[in-house]
Amino acid sequence: MEELNFEDAMKKLEKITAELEKGDLSLDESVKKFEEGIKLSKECNKILEDSEKKINVLINIDGNITEENFLPEEG
Amino acid sequence: MEYKALSVSELNSYIKNKIADDDNLNNILVKGEISNFKHHYTGHMYFTLKDDNSLIKCIMFKSYTYNLKFVPKDGVSVLAFGTVSVFERDGVYQLYCKAMQEDGMGSLYKAYEELKNKLEKEGLFSKEHKKTLPVMPKIIGVLTSNTGSVIKDIINVSTRRNPNVYIRLYPVPVQGEGAGVKIAEAIKVMNEKKLADVLILARGGGSLEDLWPFNEEVVARAIYESDIPIVSAVGHETDFSISDFVADLRAPTPSAAAEIVVPNIVDIEQNLNTYNIRLKNALRKKVEIMRMRYEKCMKSRVYTDPLKIINDNYVKLDMLIKSMTNSITNKLQLSKTQAIKNFSKLDALSPLKTLSRGYSIIEKDNKIVKKVEDLRKDDIVNLRLQNGEKQAKIL
């Protein structure tokens, strides 16, 4: 499954909301749009909830990149 | 001869005026090395300028310090522009600096201007080429030194805005020989391996020489070729490096870069929440409108009293039948009355009735004789009487 792009999802959400607010869709279409919108907003929320704090430092050894937790020096 | 004693104040005041009157001490340029530099909390700068044999106290008031293009510190050779005046309280003369620049930076400035013009002509600063920053970058790439306050500031601001921020620091030297090449390489690696959604290229304040890597062509070109949007935050707000011009966005400070790049998670959550509410309201409204339309339909008599139309028609039909029956009956009655009237009229006119009263009818050749002239001698006529007829001959 392709990863949902947060920005695209937000843009789509805006579009769907505006369409639904116009009110000229049929009831069936309205319900469909509503479900789509709610699904998108849940997915966006999930992205936010699933993200976890990572402060990492990249180490490049001859083009091989490794990632380590970064601890800034004190003081 | 008698000496008139001057007060110390009078003496210092006299000297002050003497110096103030001397054009050679007004708006002059002095060359020297900074020492004893103090940036007072009031914002004024106190230092001395010295050469091998001598020194002079200097002061630069806060309002002038904003225009400095470098951070003065001990040991830096400078050209200071200002006016010599006396500080009467202490009885010292000093240079009141209005402007200052690093001495010997002339060639660097020239190189900077030349490269800037060249790259500008090539279109490296063009607005069309600038990429928009992602609204919600998943990974923030930071290219700066892994020591010092810059990375700490960026981490602090970023985590404040988004407690779950994902930062990837690619440590690079930010000054000195070879730093530019390393920075350019870091940008390329981040792009090739797609290690971030947005990059912050940052460095704290410093002299033009310190900031030099960010004015190198190799860095400028790497920024230009980057597919990942880059925010450049080099030096203080007043410093403009070439990387600032090429980058997709310039931030005045590294902290500001983090502010720009990392979305405030509270805002985003609020946005999402608003969408949710709007979606729900819109659907609710739609359903409400549909319900109202349905109710309006349902209020129609077709549904509330479906038999009414049929009943109405029954009534109509009955009425029609009744009116039809009525009109036929009337017609019949009328004809009957007319007939009776006609019969009685006919009866009244009947000759038979006249005969019964003693009259008789004379007929000749089957025609009623009405006048005397119609009868001749010897005509045979028929006499019709009440109860029969007889023939007679005219005399």
Side-chain angles (χ1 to χ4, degrees), chain B residues 118-119 122 124 216-226:
Chain B
K118 176 183 150 190
L119 298 180
E122 270 189 52
L124 262 70
E216 282 180 39
E217 189 167 351
V218 61
V219 174
R221 297 213 180 271
I223 294 173
Y224 186 77
E225 278 156 23
S226 172

Side-chain angles (χ1 to χ4, degrees), chain A residues 14 25 54 56 58 67 75, chain B residues 152 166-167 169 275 286:
Chain A
E14 165 67 50
L25 296 172
K54 278 185 212 160
N56 288 350
L58 298 176
E67 196 167 352
Chain B
K152 277 190 218 159
Y166 187 172
I167 290 176
L169 166 68
Y275 280 133
K286 181 82 205 172

Side-chain angles (χ1 to χ4, degrees), chain B residues 321-364:
Chain B
I321 290 172
K322 203 172 164 192
S323 109
M324 210 161 69
T325 317
N326 275 349
S327 63
I328 285 172
T329 316
N330 282 347
K331 190 103 184 167
L332 219 58
Q333 191 63 41
L334 205 69
S335 302
K336 217 169 167 182
T337 317
Q338 190 68 42
I340 290 166
K341 227 162 128 188
N342 286 344
F343 288 154
S344 64
K345 219 186 219 170
L346 206 62
D347 194 39
L349 289 174
S350 167
L352 297 176
K353 221 159 186 168
T354 315
L355 293 182
S356 70
R357 290 205 304 268
Y359 295 91
S360 57
I361 296 165
I362 301 166
E363 288 168 336
K364 184 183 144 188

Side-chain angles (χ1 to χ4, degrees), chain B residues 121-188:
Chain B
K121 264 186 206 141
E122 270 189 52
L124 262 70
F125 306 164
S126 78
K127 275 205 180 100
E128 294 75 41
H129 186 264
K130 301 215 181 291
K131 295 173 278 295
T132 45
L133 304 183
V135 177
M136 183 72 201
K138 282 198 273 291
I139 304 173
I140 322 282
V142 180
L143 310 183
T144 191
S145 164
N146 56 357
T147 59
S149 63
V150 170
I151 184 61
K152 277 190 218 159
D153 288 348
I154 290 175
I155 290 171
N156 285 342
V157 172
S158 300
T159 46
R160 175 164 56 71
R161 290 176 69 81
N162 180 5
N164 292 329
V165 73
Y166 187 172
I167 290 176
R168 272 181 175 154
L169 166 68
Y170 191 117
V172 287
V174 290
Q175 69 185 68
E177 196 68 34
V181 174
K182 290 263 173 56
I183 293 168
E185 186 193 296
I187 295 172
K188 275 178 199 142

Side-chain angles (χ1 to χ4, degrees), chain A residues 3 6-7 10 13-14 16-17 20-21 23 25 27 30-31 34 37-38 41 44-45 48 51-58 60 63 65 67 70 72-73 75, chain B residues 134-136 138 146-148 151-152 155 159 163-171 185 189-190 193 195 265 268-269 272 275-276 278-280 282-283 286 290:
Chain A
E3 212 175 334
F6 192 89
E7 275 160 281
M10 283 297 262
L13 192 53
E14 165 67 50
I16 285 171
T17 309
L20 194 58
E21 279 175 341
L25 296 172
L27 188 61
S30 296
V31 172
F34 173 78
I38 293 292
S41 93
C44 286
N45 255 324
L48 294 184
S51 59
E52 66 176 298
K53 181 179 172 179
K54 278 185 212 160
I55 312 288
N56 288 350
V57 59
L58 298 176
N60 185 352
I65 309 284
E67 196 167 352
F70 176 66
E73 54 177 21
Chain B
V135 177
M136 183 72 201
K138 282 198 273 291
N146 56 357
T147 59
I151 184 61
K152 277 190 218 159
I155 290 171
T159 46
N164 292 329
V165 73
Y166 187 172
I167 290 176
R168 272 181 175 154
L169 166 68
Y170 191 117
E185 186 193 296
V189 171
M190 293 304 277
K193 305 210 184 261
L195 293 171
I265 214 72
I268 298 257
E269 276 168 357
L272 267 176
Y275 280 133
N276 254 319
R278 279 172 65 190
L279 278 171
K280 279 174 189 160
L283 188 68
K286 181 82 205 172
M290 297 302 277

